[in-house]
Amino acid sequence: MSEPTGKYSITMPRDIAEAAKARSGPSGLSAYVAAAVARQIERDSLNELITVAEAEHGPVTDEEIQALRDRLHRAREQQTRGGADAA
């Protein structure tokens, strides 16, 4: 990250803070928390995009989701095999 940093004070449950501190490793708690917040922002942005898309096109069905999961699974299998069966 080349962005400037700032110092912030946050409050969270002690057990969550201790678990995060134990898992933060050499990068430290601040980097661990920053990465977690960045992931949450990405999720929030994706949820906003889904809401807009569903408002325009309707909700995605379970069948459509499963078909895409199957397609992704097949693509990953082909990639693992080096694309030998890729069409």
Side-chain angles (χ1 to χ4, degrees):
M1 284 182 160
S2 60
E3 292 290 321
T5 61
K7 187 170 183 161
Y8 302 91
S9 174
I10 62 169
T11 302
M12 70 175 76
R14 182 172 284 128
D15 60 334
I16 294 173
E18 291 303 319
K21 190 174 180 182
R23 289 169 174 77
S24 63
S27 61
L29 182 60
S30 292
Y32 189 86
V33 171
V37 172
R39 281 191 304 275
Q40 185 62 48
I41 291 169
E42 289 175 355
R43 286 181 174 182
D44 293 345
S45 295
L46 286 171
N47 284 333
E48 291 167 5
L49 180 62
I50 290 167
T51 299
V52 169
E54 286 186 338
E56 185 174 337
H57 303 286
V60 178
T61 67
D62 290 340
E63 292 80 16
E64 291 170 316
I65 292 170
Q66 188 58 51
L68 289 170
R69 284 183 174 149
D70 293 344
R71 188 173 164 191
L72 178 60
H73 179 72
R74 285 190 305 273
R76 285 182 176 157
E77 284 180 339
Q78 288 176 351
Q79 186 178 30
T80 301
R81 290 190 306 261
D85 296 334

Coordinates of all heavy atoms in Angstrom, one line a residue:
M1 N 0.8 -1.2 0.0 CA 0.0 0.0 0.0 C 0.9 1.2 0.0 O 1.7 1.4 0.8 CB -0.9 0.0 1.2 CG -2.0 -0.9 1.3 SD -2.9 -0.5 2.8 CE -4.4 -1.2 2.4
S2 N 0.6 2.1 -0.9 CA 1.4 3.4 -0.9 C 0.6 4.5 -0.4 O 1.1 5.6 -0.4 CB 1.8 3.6 -2.4 OG 0.7 3.8 -3.2
E3 N -0.6 4.3 0.0 CA -1.5 5.3 0.6 C -1.0 5.7 1.9 O -0.5 4.9 2.7 CB -2.9 4.8 0.7 CG -3.6 4.6 -0.6 CD -3.9 5.8 -1.4 OE1 -4.3 6.8 -0.8 OE2 -3.8 5.8 -2.6
P4 N -1.1 7.0 2.2 CA -0.7 7.5 3.6 C -1.6 6.8 4.6 O -2.7 6.5 4.3 CB -0.9 9.0 3.5 CG -1.6 9.3 2.3 CD -1.6 8.1 1.4
T5 N -1.1 6.6 5.8 CA -1.9 6.0 6.9 C -2.2 7.1 7.9 O -1.7 8.2 7.9 CB -1.1 4.9 7.5 OG1 0.1 5.5 8.1 CG2 -0.7 3.8 6.6
G6 N -3.2 6.7 8.7 CA -3.7 7.6 9.8 C -3.8 6.7 11.0 O -3.9 5.5 10.9
K7 N -3.8 7.3 12.1 CA -4.0 6.6 13.4 C -5.4 6.8 13.9 O -5.9 7.9 13.9 CB -3.0 7.1 14.4 CG -3.0 6.3 15.7 CD -1.8 6.6 16.6 CE -1.8 5.7 17.8 NZ -0.6 5.6 18.4
Y8 N -6.1 5.7 14.2 CA -7.5 5.7 14.6 C -7.7 4.9 15.9 O -7.0 4.0 16.1 CB -8.4 5.2 13.5 CG -8.2 5.9 12.2 CD1 -7.3 5.5 11.3 CD2 -9.0 7.0 11.9 CE1 -7.2 6.1 10.1 CE2 -8.8 7.7 10.7 CZ -7.9 7.3 9.8 OH -7.7 7.9 8.6
S9 N -8.6 5.3 16.6 CA -9.0 4.6 17.8 C -10.3 3.9 17.6 O -11.3 4.5 17.2 CB -9.1 5.5 19.0 OG -9.6 4.8 20.1
I10 N -10.3 2.5 17.7 CA -11.6 1.8 17.5 C -11.9 1.0 18.8 O -11.0 0.7 19.6 CB -11.5 0.9 16.3 CG1 -10.4 -0.2 16.5 CG2 -11.3 1.7 15.0 CD1 -10.4 -1.3 15.5
T11 N -13.1 0.6 18.9 CA -13.6 -0.2 20.1 C -14.2 -1.5 19.5 O -15.0 -1.4 18.5 CB -14.6 0.6 20.9 OG1 -14.0 1.8 21.3 CG2 -15.1 -0.2 22.1
M12 N -13.7 -2.6 20.0 CA -14.3 -3.9 19.6 C -14.3 -4.8 20.8 O -13.5 -4.6 21.8 CB -13.5 -4.5 18.4 CG -12.1 -4.9 18.8 SD -11.3 -5.8 17.4 CE -10.8 -4.4 16.4
P13 N -15.1 -5.9 20.7 CA -15.1 -6.8 21.9 C -13.7 -7.4 22.1 O -12.9 -7.7 21.1 CB -16.0 -7.9 21.4 CG -16.9 -7.2 20.4 CD -16.1 -6.2 19.7
R14 N -13.3 -7.6 23.3 CA -11.9 -8.0 23.7 C -11.6 -9.4 23.0 O -10.5 -9.6 22.6 CB -11.8 -8.1 25.2 CG -10.4 -8.5 25.6 CD -10.2 -8.4 27.1 NE -10.0 -7.0 27.5 CZ -10.7 -6.3 28.4 NH1 -11.7 -6.9 29.1 NH2 -10.5 -5.0 28.6
D15 N -12.6 -10.3 23.0 CA -12.3 -11.6 22.5 C -11.9 -11.6 21.0 O -11.0 -12.2 20.5 CB -13.4 -12.6 22.7 CG -14.7 -12.2 22.1 OD1 -15.0 -11.0 22.0 OD2 -15.5 -13.1 21.9
I16 N -12.6 -10.7 20.3 CA -12.3 -10.5 18.8 C -11.0 -9.9 18.7 O -10.2 -10.3 17.8 CB -13.4 -9.7 18.1 CG1 -14.7 -10.5 18.1 CG2 -13.0 -9.3 16.7 CD1 -15.9 -9.7 17.6
A17 N -10.7 -8.8 19.5 CA -9.4 -8.2 19.4 C -8.2 -9.2 19.7 O -7.2 -9.2 19.0 CB -9.3 -7.0 20.3
E18 N -8.4 -10.0 20.7 CA -7.4 -10.9 21.0 C -7.2 -12.0 20.0 O -6.0 -12.4 19.6 CB -7.7 -11.6 22.4 CG -7.5 -10.6 23.6 CD -6.2 -10.0 23.7 OE1 -5.1 -10.7 23.5 OE2 -6.1 -8.8 24.0
A19 N -8.3 -12.5 19.4 CA -8.2 -13.5 18.3 C -7.5 -12.8 17.1 O -6.6 -13.5 16.5 CB -9.6 -14.0 17.9
A20 N -7.8 -11.6 16.8 CA -7.2 -10.9 15.6 C -5.7 -10.7 15.9 O -4.8 -11.0 15.0 CB -7.8 -9.6 15.4
K21 N -5.4 -10.3 17.1 CA -4.0 -10.1 17.5 C -3.2 -11.4 17.4 O -2.1 -11.4 16.9 CB -3.9 -9.6 18.9 CG -2.5 -9.1 19.3 CD -2.6 -8.4 20.7 CE -1.3 -7.9 21.1 NZ -1.3 -7.3 22.4
A22 N -3.8 -12.5 17.8 CA -3.1 -13.8 17.8 C -2.9 -14.3 16.3 O -1.9 -15.0 16.1 CB -3.9 -14.9 18.5
R23 N -3.7 -13.9 15.4 CA -3.6 -14.3 14.0 C -2.9 -13.3 13.1 O -2.6 -13.6 12.0 CB -5.0 -14.5 13.5 CG -5.7 -15.8 14.0 CD -7.2 -15.8 13.7 NE -7.8 -17.0 14.0 CZ -8.2 -17.3 15.3 NH1 -8.0 -16.5 16.3 NH2 -8.8 -18.4 15.6
S24 N -2.6 -12.2 13.6 CA -2.0 -11.1 12.8 C -0.6 -11.4 12.3 O -0.2 -10.8 11.3 CB -2.1 -9.8 13.5 OG -1.2 -9.8 14.7
G25 N 0.1 -12.2 13.0 CA 1.4 -12.6 12.5 C 2.4 -11.4 12.5 O 2.2 -10.4 13.1
P26 N 3.4 -11.5 11.7 CA 4.5 -10.5 11.7 C 4.0 -9.1 11.1 O 4.6 -8.1 11.4 CB 5.6 -11.1 10.8 CG 4.9 -12.2 10.0 CD 3.7 -12.6 10.8
S27 N 2.9 -9.1 10.3 CA 2.5 -7.8 9.8 C 1.8 -6.9 10.8 O 1.7 -5.7 10.7 CB 1.5 -8.0 8.6 OG 0.4 -8.7 9.1
G28 N 1.4 -7.5 11.9 CA 0.8 -6.8 13.0 C -0.7 -6.6 12.9 O -1.3 -6.8 11.9
L29 N -1.2 -6.2 14.1 CA -2.7 -6.1 14.2 C -3.2 -5.0 13.3 O -4.3 -5.2 12.7 CB -3.0 -5.8 15.7 CG -4.5 -5.6 16.0 CD1 -5.3 -6.9 15.7 CD2 -4.7 -5.3 17.5
S30 N -2.6 -3.9 13.1 CA -3.1 -2.8 12.3 C -3.3 -3.3 10.9 O -4.3 -3.0 10.2 CB -2.2 -1.6 12.3 OG -2.2 -1.0 13.6
A31 N -2.3 -4.0 10.3 CA -2.4 -4.5 9.0 C -3.5 -5.5 8.8 O -4.2 -5.6 7.9 CB -1.0 -5.1 8.5
Y32 N -3.6 -6.4 9.9 CA -4.7 -7.4 9.9 C -6.1 -6.8 9.8 O -6.9 -7.1 9.1 CB -4.5 -8.3 11.1 CG -5.4 -9.5 11.1 CD1 -5.0 -10.7 10.5 CD2 -6.6 -9.5 11.8 CE1 -5.8 -11.8 10.5 CE2 -7.4 -10.6 11.8 CZ -7.0 -11.8 11.2 OH -7.8 -12.9 11.3
V33 N -6.3 -5.8 10.7 CA -7.5 -5.1 10.8 C -7.8 -4.3 9.5 O -8.9 -4.3 8.9 CB -7.6 -4.1 12.0 CG1 -8.8 -3.3 12.0 CG2 -7.6 -5.0 13.3
A34 N -6.8 -3.6 8.9 CA -6.9 -2.9 7.7 C -7.3 -3.8 6.5 O -8.2 -3.5 5.7 CB -5.6 -2.2 7.3
A35 N -6.8 -5.0 6.5 CA -7.1 -6.0 5.4 C -8.6 -6.5 5.6 O -9.3 -6.6 4.6 CB -6.2 -7.2 5.5
A36 N -9.0 -6.7 6.9 CA -10.3 -7.1 7.1 C -11.3 -6.0 6.8 O -12.4 -6.3 6.2 CB -10.5 -7.5 8.6
V37 N -11.0 -4.8 7.1 CA -11.9 -3.7 6.7 C -12.0 -3.6 5.2 O -13.1 -3.3 4.6 CB -11.5 -2.4 7.4 CG1 -12.3 -1.2 6.9 CG2 -11.7 -2.5 8.9
A38 N -10.9 -3.7 4.5 CA -10.8 -3.6 3.0 C -11.7 -4.7 2.4 O -12.5 -4.4 1.5 CB -9.4 -3.7 2.5
R39 N -11.6 -5.9 3.0 CA -12.5 -7.0 2.5 C -14.0 -6.7 2.7 O -14.8 -7.0 1.8 CB -12.2 -8.3 3.1 CG -10.9 -9.0 2.6 CD -10.8 -10.4 3.1 NE -10.7 -10.6 4.5 CZ -9.6 -10.4 5.2 NH1 -8.5 -10.1 4.7 NH2 -9.6 -10.5 6.5
Q40 N -14.3 -6.1 3.8 CA -15.7 -5.7 4.1 C -16.2 -4.7 3.1 O -17.3 -4.7 2.7 CB -15.9 -5.3 5.6 CG -17.3 -5.0 5.9 CD -18.2 -6.3 5.8 OE1 -17.8 -7.3 6.3 NE2 -19.3 -6.2 5.2
I41 N -15.3 -3.7 2.8 CA -15.7 -2.7 1.9 C -16.0 -3.3 0.5 O -16.9 -2.9 -0.2 CB -14.6 -1.6 1.8 CG1 -14.6 -0.8 3.1 CG2 -14.8 -0.6 0.6 CD1 -13.4 0.1 3.3
E42 N -15.1 -4.2 0.1 CA -15.3 -5.0 -1.2 C -16.7 -5.7 -1.2 O -17.4 -5.6 -2.1 CB -14.2 -5.9 -1.4 CG -12.9 -5.3 -1.8 CD -11.8 -6.3 -1.9 OE1 -12.0 -7.5 -1.6 OE2 -10.7 -5.9 -2.3
R43 N -17.0 -6.4 -0.1 CA -18.3 -7.1 0.1 C -19.4 -6.1 0.0 O -20.5 -6.4 -0.7 CB -18.4 -7.8 1.4 CG -17.5 -9.1 1.4 CD -17.7 -9.8 2.7 NE -17.0 -11.0 2.7 CZ -17.0 -11.9 3.7 NH1 -17.7 -11.6 4.8 NH2 -16.3 -13.0 3.6
D44 N -19.3 -5.0 0.7 CA -20.4 -4.0 0.7 C -20.6 -3.4 -0.8 O -21.7 -3.3 -1.2 CB -20.1 -2.8 1.6 CG -20.1 -3.2 3.1 OD1 -20.6 -4.3 3.4 OD2 -19.6 -2.4 3.9
S45 N -19.5 -3.2 -1.5 CA -19.6 -2.7 -2.8 C -20.2 -3.7 -3.8 O -21.1 -3.4 -4.6 CB -18.2 -2.3 -3.4 OG -17.7 -1.2 -2.6
L46 N -19.9 -5.0 -3.6 CA -20.5 -6.1 -4.4 C -22.0 -6.2 -4.1 O -22.8 -6.4 -5.0 CB -19.8 -7.4 -4.1 CG -18.4 -7.5 -4.8 CD1 -17.7 -8.8 -4.3 CD2 -18.5 -7.5 -6.3
N47 N -22.3 -6.1 -2.8 CA -23.8 -6.2 -2.5 C -24.5 -5.0 -3.1 O -25.7 -5.2 -3.6 CB -24.0 -6.2 -1.0 CG -23.6 -7.5 -0.4 OD1 -23.7 -8.6 -1.0 ND2 -23.2 -7.5 0.9
E48 N -23.9 -3.8 -3.1 CA -24.6 -2.7 -3.8 C -24.8 -2.9 -5.3 O -25.8 -2.6 -5.9 CB -23.8 -1.4 -3.6 CG -23.8 -0.9 -2.1 CD -22.8 0.1 -1.8 OE1 -22.1 0.6 -2.7 OE2 -22.6 0.5 -0.6
L49 N -23.7 -3.5 -5.9 CA -23.8 -3.8 -7.3 C -24.9 -4.9 -7.6 O -25.6 -4.7 -8.6 CB -22.4 -4.3 -7.8 CG -22.3 -4.7 -9.3 CD1 -22.6 -3.5 -10.2 CD2 -20.9 -5.3 -9.6
I50 N -25.0 -5.9 -6.8 CA -26.0 -6.9 -6.9 C -27.4 -6.3 -6.8 O -28.3 -6.6 -7.6 CB -25.8 -8.0 -5.9 CG1 -24.5 -8.8 -6.2 CG2 -27.0 -8.9 -5.8 CD1 -24.1 -9.8 -5.1
T51 N -27.6 -5.4 -5.8 CA -28.9 -4.8 -5.6 C -29.3 -4.0 -6.9 O -30.4 -4.1 -7.3 CB -28.8 -3.8 -4.4 OG1 -28.5 -4.6 -3.2 CG2 -30.1 -3.1 -4.2
V52 N -28.3 -3.2 -7.4 CA -28.6 -2.5 -8.7 C -28.9 -3.4 -9.8 O -29.9 -3.2 -10.6 CB -27.4 -1.5 -9.0 CG1 -27.6 -0.9 -10.4 CG2 -27.3 -0.4 -7.9
A53 N -28.1 -4.4 -10.0 CA -28.3 -5.4 -11.1 C -29.7 -6.1 -11.0 O -30.4 -6.3 -12.0 CB -27.2 -6.4 -11.2
E54 N -30.0 -6.5 -9.8 CA -31.3 -7.2 -9.6 C -32.5 -6.3 -9.8 O -33.5 -6.7 -10.2 CB -31.3 -7.9 -8.2 CG -30.4 -9.1 -8.1 CD -30.6 -9.9 -6.8 OE1 -31.0 -9.3 -5.8 OE2 -30.2 -11.1 -6.8
A55 N -32.3 -5.0 -9.4 CA -33.4 -4.1 -9.6 C -33.6 -3.9 -11.1 O -34.8 -3.7 -11.6 CB -33.1 -2.7 -9.0
E56 N -32.6 -4.0 -11.9 CA -32.7 -3.8 -13.4 C -33.1 -5.1 -14.1 O -33.9 -5.0 -15.0 CB -31.4 -3.3 -13.9 CG -31.4 -2.9 -15.4 CD -30.2 -2.2 -15.9 OE1 -29.4 -1.7 -15.1 OE2 -29.9 -2.3 -17.1
H57 N -32.5 -6.2 -13.7 CA -32.7 -7.5 -14.4 C -33.5 -8.5 -13.7 O -33.7 -9.6 -14.2 CB -31.3 -8.0 -14.8 CG -30.5 -7.1 -15.6 ND1 -30.7 -6.8 -16.9 CD2 -29.4 -6.3 -15.2 CE1 -29.9 -5.9 -17.3 NE2 -29.0 -5.6 -16.3
G58 N -33.8 -8.3 -12.4 CA -34.5 -9.3 -11.6 C -33.5 -10.2 -10.9 O -32.3 -10.2 -11.2
P59 N -33.9 -10.9 -9.9 CA -33.0 -11.7 -9.1 C -32.4 -12.9 -9.9 O -33.1 -13.4 -10.8 CB -33.8 -12.2 -7.9 CG -35.2 -12.1 -8.4 CD -35.3 -11.0 -9.4
V60 N -31.2 -13.3 -9.5 CA -30.6 -14.5 -10.1 C -31.2 -15.7 -9.4 O -31.3 -15.7 -8.2 CB -29.1 -14.4 -9.9 CG1 -28.4 -15.6 -10.4 CG2 -28.5 -13.2 -10.4
T61 N -31.6 -16.7 -10.2 CA -32.2 -17.9 -9.7 C -31.2 -18.8 -9.1 O -30.0 -18.8 -9.5 CB -33.0 -18.6 -10.7 OG1 -32.1 -19.1 -11.7 CG2 -34.1 -17.7 -11.4
D62 N -31.6 -19.7 -8.3 CA -30.7 -20.8 -7.7 C -30.1 -21.6 -8.9 O -29.0 -22.0 -8.8 CB -31.4 -21.7 -6.7 CG -31.8 -20.9 -5.4 OD1 -31.1 -19.9 -5.1 OD2 -32.6 -21.4 -4.7
E63 N -30.9 -21.9 -9.9 CA -30.5 -22.7 -11.0 C -29.3 -22.0 -11.8 O -28.4 -22.6 -12.2 CB -31.6 -23.0 -11.9 CG -32.7 -23.9 -11.4 CD -33.7 -23.2 -10.4 OE1 -33.8 -22.0 -10.4 OE2 -34.3 -23.9 -9.6
E64 N -29.5 -20.7 -11.9 CA -28.4 -19.9 -12.6 C -27.2 -19.9 -11.8 O -26.1 -20.0 -12.4 CB -28.9 -18.5 -12.9 CG -30.0 -18.3 -13.9 CD -30.6 -17.0 -13.9 OE1 -30.9 -16.4 -12.9 OE2 -30.8 -16.5 -15.1
I65 N -27.3 -19.7 -10.5 CA -26.1 -19.8 -9.6 C -25.4 -21.1 -9.7 O -24.2 -21.2 -9.9 CB -26.5 -19.4 -8.2 CG1 -27.0 -18.0 -8.1 CG2 -25.3 -19.7 -7.2 CD1 -27.6 -17.6 -6.8
Q66 N -26.2 -22.2 -9.7 CA -25.6 -23.5 -9.7 C -24.9 -23.8 -11.1 O -23.8 -24.3 -11.1 CB -26.6 -24.6 -9.4 CG -26.0 -26.0 -9.3 CD -25.0 -26.1 -8.2 OE1 -25.2 -25.7 -7.1 NE2 -23.8 -26.6 -8.5
A67 N -25.5 -23.3 -12.2 CA -24.9 -23.5 -13.5 C -23.6 -22.8 -13.6 O -22.6 -23.3 -14.1 CB -25.9 -23.0 -14.6
L68 N -23.5 -21.6 -13.0 CA -22.2 -20.8 -13.0 C -21.2 -21.5 -12.1 O -20.0 -21.5 -12.4 CB -22.5 -19.4 -12.6 CG -23.2 -18.5 -13.6 CD1 -23.6 -17.2 -13.0 CD2 -22.4 -18.3 -14.9
R69 N -21.6 -22.0 -11.0 CA -20.7 -22.8 -10.1 C -20.1 -24.0 -10.8 O -18.9 -24.3 -10.8 CB -21.4 -23.2 -8.8 CG -21.6 -22.1 -7.8 CD -22.2 -22.6 -6.6 NE -22.2 -21.5 -5.6 CZ -23.2 -21.4 -4.7 NH1 -24.1 -22.3 -4.5 NH2 -23.1 -20.3 -3.8
D70 N -21.0 -24.7 -11.5 CA -20.6 -25.9 -12.3 C -19.6 -25.5 -13.4 O -18.5 -26.1 -13.6 CB -21.8 -26.6 -12.9 CG -22.7 -27.2 -11.9 OD1 -22.3 -27.4 -10.7 OD2 -23.8 -27.5 -12.3
R71 N -19.9 -24.4 -14.1 CA -19.0 -23.9 -15.1 C -17.6 -23.5 -14.5 O -16.6 -23.8 -15.1 CB -19.6 -22.7 -15.8 CG -18.9 -22.2 -17.0 CD -19.8 -21.1 -17.6 NE -19.0 -20.3 -18.6 CZ -19.4 -19.2 -19.1 NH1 -20.6 -18.7 -18.9 NH2 -18.7 -18.6 -20.0
L72 N -17.6 -22.8 -13.4 CA -16.4 -22.4 -12.7 C -15.6 -23.7 -12.3 O -14.4 -23.8 -12.5 CB -16.7 -21.5 -11.5 CG -15.5 -21.1 -10.7 CD1 -14.5 -20.3 -11.6 CD2 -15.9 -20.3 -9.5
H73 N -16.3 -24.7 -11.8 CA -15.6 -25.9 -11.3 C -15.0 -26.6 -12.5 O -13.8 -27.0 -12.4 CB -16.7 -26.8 -10.7 CG -16.1 -28.1 -10.2 ND1 -15.3 -28.2 -9.1 CD2 -16.2 -29.4 -10.7 CE1 -14.9 -29.5 -9.0 NE2 -15.5 -30.2 -9.9
R74 N -15.7 -26.7 -13.6 CA -15.1 -27.3 -14.8 C -13.9 -26.5 -15.3 O -12.9 -27.1 -15.7 CB -16.1 -27.4 -15.9 CG -17.2 -28.5 -15.7 CD -18.0 -28.7 -16.9 NE -18.7 -27.6 -17.4 CZ -19.9 -27.1 -17.0 NH1 -20.5 -27.7 -16.1 NH2 -20.4 -26.0 -17.5
A75 N -14.0 -25.2 -15.3 CA -12.8 -24.4 -15.7 C -11.6 -24.6 -14.8 O -10.5 -24.7 -15.3 CB -13.2 -22.9 -15.8
R76 N -11.9 -24.7 -13.5 CA -10.7 -24.9 -12.6 C -10.1 -26.3 -12.8 O -8.9 -26.5 -12.8 CB -11.2 -24.8 -11.2 CG -11.4 -23.4 -10.8 CD -11.9 -23.3 -9.3 NE -12.0 -21.9 -8.9 CZ -12.7 -21.5 -7.9 NH1 -13.4 -22.3 -7.2 NH2 -12.8 -20.2 -7.6
E77 N -11.0 -27.3 -13.1 CA -10.4 -28.6 -13.4 C -9.6 -28.6 -14.6 O -8.5 -29.2 -14.7 CB -11.6 -29.6 -13.6 CG -12.2 -30.1 -12.3 CD -13.4 -31.0 -12.5 OE1 -13.9 -31.1 -13.6 OE2 -13.7 -31.7 -11.5
Q78 N -10.0 -27.9 -15.7 CA -9.3 -27.8 -16.9 C -7.9 -27.1 -16.7 O -6.9 -27.5 -17.2 CB -10.1 -27.1 -18.0 CG -11.2 -27.9 -18.5 CD -12.1 -27.2 -19.5 OE1 -11.9 -26.0 -19.7 NE2 -13.0 -27.9 -20.1
Q79 N -8.0 -26.1 -15.9 CA -6.8 -25.3 -15.6 C -5.8 -26.2 -14.8 O -4.6 -26.2 -15.1 CB -7.1 -24.1 -14.7 CG -5.9 -23.2 -14.5 CD -6.3 -22.0 -13.7 OE1 -7.3 -22.0 -12.9 NE2 -5.6 -20.9 -14.0
T80 N -6.3 -27.0 -13.9 CA -5.4 -27.9 -13.1 C -4.8 -29.0 -14.0 O -3.6 -29.3 -13.8 CB -6.3 -28.6 -12.0 OG1 -6.8 -27.6 -11.1 CG2 -5.4 -29.6 -11.2
R81 N -5.5 -29.4 -15.0 CA -5.0 -30.4 -15.9 C -4.1 -29.7 -17.0 O -3.7 -30.4 -17.9 CB -6.1 -31.2 -16.6 CG -6.8 -32.1 -15.6 CD -7.7 -33.0 -16.4 NE -8.7 -32.3 -17.2 CZ -10.0 -32.1 -16.9 NH1 -10.4 -32.5 -15.8 NH2 -10.8 -31.5 -17.8
G82 N -3.9 -28.4 -16.9 CA -3.1 -27.7 -17.9 C -3.9 -27.4 -19.2 O -3.3 -27.1 -20.2
G83 N -5.2 -27.4 -19.1 CA -6.0 -27.0 -20.2 C -6.0 -28.1 -21.3 O -6.5 -27.9 -22.4
A84 N -5.7 -29.3 -20.9 CA -5.6 -30.4 -21.9 C -7.0 -30.7 -22.6 O -7.0 -31.0 -23.7 CB -5.1 -31.7 -21.3
D85 N -8.0 -30.5 -21.8 CA -9.4 -30.8 -22.3 C -10.1 -29.5 -22.7 O -11.3 -29.5 -23.0 CB -10.2 -31.5 -21.3 CG -9.6 -32.9 -21.0 OD1 -8.9 -33.5 -21.8 OD2 -9.9 -33.4 -19.8
A86 N -9.4 -28.4 -22.7 CA -10.1 -27.1 -23.0 C -10.6 -27.1 -24.4 O -9.9 -27.5 -25.3 CB -9.1 -25.9 -22.8
A87 N -11.8 -26.6 -24.5 CA -12.4 -26.6 -25.9 C -12.3 -25.2 -26.4 O -12.3 -24.2 -25.8 CB -13.9 -27.0 -25.8

